[in-house]
Amino acid sequence: MRDVAIVSFATTGPLPAVDDTETQMLFPVISEAIERSGIPRADIGFTCSGSADYLAGTPFAFVGNLEAVGAWPPISESHVDMDGAWAMYEAWVRLQHGDVDVALAFSSGISSRSDLREVLCLQNDPYYLMPLWADHGSLAGLQARAVAEAGLVDEVVDTVAAPPASDGAAAVIMVAGDRAREVCERPAWIRGIEHRSDPHYIGVRDLADVPSAQVAAAAAGVGGGPIDLAELSAAHPHEEVLLRRAMGLADLVEVNAGADPLMVAGLAHIGAAATAIHEGRAGRTLGHAASGPCLQQNLVCVMEGTP
Amino acid sequence: MAERCAVVGIAQTHHKKVRDDVSLAGLLREAGQRALDDAAMTWRDVDAVVIGTAPDSFEGVMMPELYLADALGAAGKPIMRVHTAGSVGGSTAIVATHLVQSGVRKRVLTIAFEKQSEGDTTWGLSGGRSGGVGAGGYFAPHIRAYIERSQAPEYVGWMVAVKDRLNALKNPYAHLKVPDITLEKVRDSPMVWEPVRRLESCPASDGACAMVLTDEAGGDRAPRPPAWVHGTAIRSELGQFPGRDPVNPQGGRDCAADVYAQAGITDPRREVDVVEMYVPFSWYEPMWLENLGFADVGQGWKLTEDGVTELTGALPVNCSGGVLSSNPIGASGMLRFAEAAMQVRGTAGEHQVEGARTAVGHAYGGAAQFFAMWVVRSTKP
């Protein structure tokens, strides 16, 4: 694999209901990430974004976000309807080719304008589960109960709450090889990035475990050395407990957990884990993204300050 | 790039107005199973799954990779979902190709789909609650502009419709079949969006397309001849700004130049044996012939008029019947890529072009602003 590092990161952080359009919210974030990298915009060889049409409530919502990048002359660009962490993954794969050295990954989400309890029900199997209108909060409640019954926590915390509904955007610049060293004093070198899915049907899952997080963490090389800081996408306290166990981080002190804004949280956590390396606060960090009800899908990115 | 990429399995479903015999997952499973059969592989052999589809609202399932993970054998594996508007089928195949070429995965199953009957696609294409003119209404003025610029006779659009509909009769999977198609029948069909007549338009289909991509070792082991990927390219440009030419978009020209350079093609008109391009309305054949460098600007329609793009012509275009005959939107781009690969594998059946060795697959989307292409050959790069 080619050495690839995150050299800059920018984010709005979680915002309460914004008045801006998604494009307006993205523009300063993308510009900041590019400016911080010190790399001319024209040198970006690949761009990939993550967002969800359903949050915006209109098909092809991501098309407008292209305005925030500036695609003239035409650019090599792709999009996933997933958390921006998967956009970053696609860009990392693209950088492995050798003909492109600089990539931009960004994501955005405005949850405040929709009823997430309603919208996220549409992630469920459309024939058998969706008509039950079991929202993420309710399904998280089932998982919290399973975690308690397995004795992993002392008591069931009431998690049947509305999912986080903040808005936000994030962007990272990734650079391959020597150029990363030229533009960044302490690049966050990506040592491993992997993702896995668990089954969708919670009835066939052991809700007191997250095998996909465990396998992704192992494949990303989490066990290859001590982790100084972990940034986890966990919407509820029991999710953090599960993720720590699955990834072998049970005793780690430095953990930041949170799952908002939706579609941005994963990329923002990875960016924060990279920033800790940029700033010399950590030598080896982990960023994590999750997707779907009950932590169905998990992505793990391990970064180090030394190549 | 580190690895060569081989297309060792290809399948598509029968495309129909309503596939009410299968669920959404069943539709993808059908395509995926048959692609794996073609590659003599099983679900267990797959390292990663990449799916693609147009907006989630077309079927009403948000982020469908979550629900589809079980049916696609992706539990315990990586699965991701690409969404780049109408070009998505092509972009999805390219993401899958990159996973192999980068050396990250060895065997990737990629599936693109649309089950238009599950929702109201026309509503979605028209901007949902925002209202709008739909795809035909959007593209019709561009077509009219092309006709004005090129001074092409009106019957050229009808000729494309007749050709693609005759080709569809040779494709067992094609949705729309009009056996008694004639120029007169196209001419007399209702005007839908001036100058586009109904028989010059694509249908709304349910369908899926799947491919199995492997590294070089996988290609060497494959039971049937693989297609080898010689180049992939994507381009995006903004949908609207002063100075943009939506009739002959820069993004399409750049995408073609990029992919030809990778494949060592300097004269596409002569070096390419067969093309599957994204033609949802008849006039896009001459328009894309020019945009992709197969004809000089203003001259594309002459290739159509001269029969060059017919199945037996010098540059056959859309031998499968194309998007005009089957349009499961999210899958339509991958169908172009897959049909191109079928041609160089020699597995296209009745619509096979004799001796095809180099083929181009093409897709576009959005406001004619997203482009995806690949070049495949029967020989290794």
Side-chain angles (χ1 to χ4, degrees):
Chain A
M1 291 289 111
R2 232 177 152 205
D3 285 335
V4 171
I6 293 177
V7 301
S8 76
F9 166 61
T11 183
T12 58
L15 301 171
V18 296
D19 292 327
D20 289 347
T21 64
E22 214 163 308
T23 311
Q24 288 173 314
M25 187 174 64
L26 269 167
F27 185 78
V29 172
I30 291 172
S31 298
E32 186 183 337
I34 294 172
E35 280 163 23
R36 271 194 194 163
S37 75
I39 294 173
R41 200 176 273 259
D43 287 7
I44 297 171
F46 184 70
T47 300
C48 195
S49 64
S51 67
D53 273 1
Y54 253 111
L55 283 192
T58 190
F60 306 106
F62 73 97
V63 175
N65 295 341
L66 201 57
E67 301 269 352
V69 189
W72 190 258
I75 59 172
S76 183
E77 186 263 352
S78 188
H79 171 259
V80 293
D81 227 64
M82 303 178 80
D83 184 289
W86 276 270
M88 182 206 147
Y89 175 80
E90 185 181 326
W92 174 80
V93 170
R94 183 68 188 83
L95 285 171
Q96 292 303 327
H97 275 243
D99 58 333
V100 169
D101 294 331
V102 182
L104 162 68
F106 67 88
S107 70
S108 53
I110 294 181
S111 300
S112 60
R113 286 173 209 157
S114 45
D115 179 349
L116 278 190
R117 296 196 78 142
E118 187 176 297
V119 169
L120 292 178
C121 286
L122 300 176
Q123 286 188 349
N124 294 336
D125 173 315
Y127 307 102
Y128 297 108
L129 292 178
M130 190 274 151
L132 301 176
W133 291 98
D135 61 70
H136 276 210
S138 307
L139 296 173
L142 293 178
Q143 188 159 39
R145 166 66 61 185
V147 170
E149 287 177 352
L152 305 181
V153 292
D154 294 335
E155 60 184 52
V156 180
V157 182
D158 178 19
T159 58
V160 190
S166 65
D167 305 335
V172 297
I173 298 288
M174 282 186 289
V175 181
D178 290 338
R179 182 129 195 225
R181 291 180 194 92
E182 289 165 16
V183 300
C184 183
E185 199 175 326
R186 278 176 60 88
W189 297 100
I190 296 167
R191 285 285 147 254
I193 180 167
E194 278 287 354
H195 65 103
R196 294 289 188 277
S197 179
D198 281 320
H200 176 66
Y201 287 90
I202 56 174
V204 302
R205 290 171 56 186
D206 173 3
L207 288 180
D209 195 7
V210 194
S212 60
Q214 187 180 349
V215 175
V222 172
I227 296 284
D228 301 324
L229 165 71
E231 289 274 347
L232 305 181
S233 293
H236 308 284
H238 71 270
E239 292 188 349
E240 184 184 335
V241 172
L242 285 171
L243 289 169
R244 278 173 171 266
R245 281 172 58 89
M247 298 185 197
L249 306 170
D251 302 322
L252 184 63
V253 176
E254 291 289 326
V255 172
N256 291 320
D260 55 339
L262 204 65
M263 312 314 294
V264 177
L267 183 62
H269 278 298
I270 292 170
T275 302
I277 292 174
H278 296 158
E279 295 175 352
R281 290 185 280 115
R284 191 163 189 268
T285 65
L286 180 157
H288 161 263
S291 181
C294 298
L295 299 170
Q296 185 193 332
Q297 201 176 12
N298 292 276
L299 180 148
V300 179
C301 179
V302 176
M303 288 161 283
E304 292 177 3
T306 48
Chain B
M1 66 194 73
E3 268 295 338
R4 290 174 170 141
C5 179
V7 187
V8 300
I10 300 176
Q12 58 189 294
T13 62
H14 290 275
H15 310 295
K16 289 183 176 170
K17 187 170 183 58
V18 185
R19 280 296 306 270
D20 54 7
D21 58 322
V22 286
S23 66
L24 193 53
L27 188 76
L28 276 89
R29 180 91 186 174
E30 181 180 311
Q33 179 66 61
R34 296 221 320 268
L36 289 166
D37 290 347
D38 187 27
M41 283 166 53
T42 70
W43 295 93
R44 283 179 191 279
D45 298 324
V46 174
D47 295 335
V49 180
V50 183
I51 65 168
T53 190
D56 292 358
S57 55
F58 284 5
E59 281 102 0
V61 183
M62 182 182 183
M63 299 165 72
E65 70 279 5
L66 296 163
Y67 148 63
L68 292 167
D70 304 29
L72 302 182
K77 292 180 183 176
I79 179 169
M80 56 190 294
R81 181 275 177 99
V82 181
H83 174 19
T84 63
S87 63
V88 65
S91 311
T92 305
I94 289 175
V95 171
T97 304
H98 287 171
L99 280 169
V100 172
Q101 289 177 332
S102 63
V104 174
R105 314 283 181 211
K106 291 186 187 311
R107 296 165 299 268
V108 178
L109 172 66
T110 185
I111 310 180
F113 65 98
E114 203 76 66
K115 206 158 185 295
Q116 292 205 42
S117 65
E118 303 264 325
D120 186 341
T121 310
T122 299
W123 180 81
L125 283 170
S126 303
R129 291 192 302 192
S130 309
V133 293
Y138 179 81
F139 292 123
H142 302 169
I143 292 169
R144 175 51 69 194
Y146 172 77
I147 293 170
E148 290 298 319
R149 286 187 200 177
S150 67
Q151 292 298 301
E154 197 178 358
Y155 58 77
V156 168
W158 311 339
M159 289 183 73
V160 174
V162 170
K163 169 183 72 75
D164 283 7
R165 304 209 176 291
L166 288 174
N167 287 347
L169 299 176
K170 299 175 188 293
N171 177 359
Y173 298 103
H175 169 185
L176 197 62
K177 299 203 176 182
V178 189
D180 58 343
I181 191 77
T182 59
L183 286 178
E184 292 70 28
K185 200 171 162 89
V186 178
R187 181 196 64 199
D188 296 339
S189 66
M191 186 68 82
V192 193
W193 303 277
E194 204 286 334
V196 181
R197 293 180 183 275
R198 174 162 290 167
L199 282 169
E200 294 179 275
S201 309
C202 55
S205 315
D206 287 356
C209 178
M211 293 193 286
V212 179
L213 309 183
T214 67
D215 59 4
E216 183 173 9
D220 290 340
R221 272 199 306 271
R224 307 177 76 181
W228 295 93
V229 181
H230 282 249
T232 61
I234 51 175
R235 283 297 185 281
S236 307
E237 66 185 48
L238 301 178
Q240 282 186 343
F241 61 90
R244 175 173 120 94
D245 182 358
V247 178
N248 188 7
Q250 183 71 40
R253 283 185 280 157
D254 289 358
C255 191
D258 186 355
V259 83
Y260 297 152
Q262 291 172 45
I265 292 170
T266 53
D267 183 354
R269 169 80 173 75
R270 272 155 200 90
E271 293 172 54
V272 173
D273 298 318
V274 54
V275 187
E276 281 279 339
M277 58 172 72
Y278 204 103
V279 177
F281 305 102
S282 62
W283 280 98
Y284 270 95
E285 174 172 302
M287 288 164 73
W288 292 148
L289 283 170
E290 297 172 22
N291 190 241
L292 305 186
F294 293 109
D296 291 336
V297 172
Q299 305 296 310
W301 62 270
K302 292 177 182 168
L303 296 188
T304 302
E305 187 183 43
D306 292 344
V308 173
T309 60
E310 288 177 14
L311 188 50
T312 53
L315 183 70
V317 174
N318 293 336
C319 304
S320 62
V323 182
L324 277 188
S325 305
S326 312
N327 188 30
I329 299 177
S332 292
M334 190 175 286
L335 284 165
R336 309 282 69 72
F337 279 46
E339 287 282 353
M342 285 161 62
Q343 289 287 349
V344 298
R345 294 179 82 201
T347 59
E350 268 194 81
H351 62 282
Q352 176 70 46
V353 171
E354 278 301 310
R357 295 170 55 82
T358 300
V360 167
H362 159 268
Y364 85 99
Q369 66 188 119
F370 300 113
F371 302 90
M373 294 178 73
W374 79 359
V375 172
V376 284
R377 287 197 173 104
S378 53
T379 51
K380 286 184 188 179

